Amino acid sequence: MALPALAIALILLFTLGYAALCAAQPFGRCRKCNGLGFQLTHTRTGKPRRGKHCRRCHGNGIRIRTGRHLFNAFTRTRHAATDTPAQPGTPTRTESRPWS
């Protein structure tokens, strides 16, 4: 009986820890280029040189974490589902901005 409770507590702790990490640091290093933004190549003498642009992160060296990506998708979906259509005569978001 204690083993399932311990397993549930560990899973809950891991999930809350990952959610806190995604909230605090939504971007992580790219796994392909190790955060450099390019692949390292070496000359014939062994000296490292800058290689090709990383295609996975587009040269930024960062990627969005999976948990943050899921949270953003959920937020977009919820916002689109609960957004009420504008009544006739009321300004939209972009029309009500004074600097636009």
Side-chain angles (χ1 to χ4, degrees):
M1 174 120 165
L3 190 59
L6 179 65
I8 291 171
L10 285 176
I11 290 171
L12 185 63
L13 181 68
F14 177 76
T15 304
L16 291 176
Y18 185 68
L21 176 69
C22 289
Q25 295 177 343
F27 295 100
R29 290 188 322 187
C30 177
R31 290 187 291 261
K32 187 172 184 180
C33 65
N34 203 17
L36 293 174
F38 53 87
Q39 291 286 338
L40 279 178
T41 59
H42 298 283
T43 61
R44 286 190 282 172
T45 59
K47 183 179 173 185
R49 288 185 52 196
R50 182 183 178 113
K52 294 192 311 184
H53 214 57
C54 180
R55 292 188 298 171
R56 182 180 285 179
C57 67
H58 305 288
N60 292 327
I62 58 174
R63 61 168 178 85
I64 192 161
R65 295 185 192 275
T66 305
R68 186 59 180 213
H69 178 74
L70 292 174
F71 176 76
N72 290 348
F74 172 75
T75 304
R76 260 186 262 114
T77 305
R78 184 175 54 90
H79 184 268
T82 59
D83 196 18
T84 57
Q87 300 294 329
T90 58
T92 60
R93 288 183 180 175
T94 55
E95 291 173 352
S96 62
R97 294 180 183 155
W99 60 86
S100 299

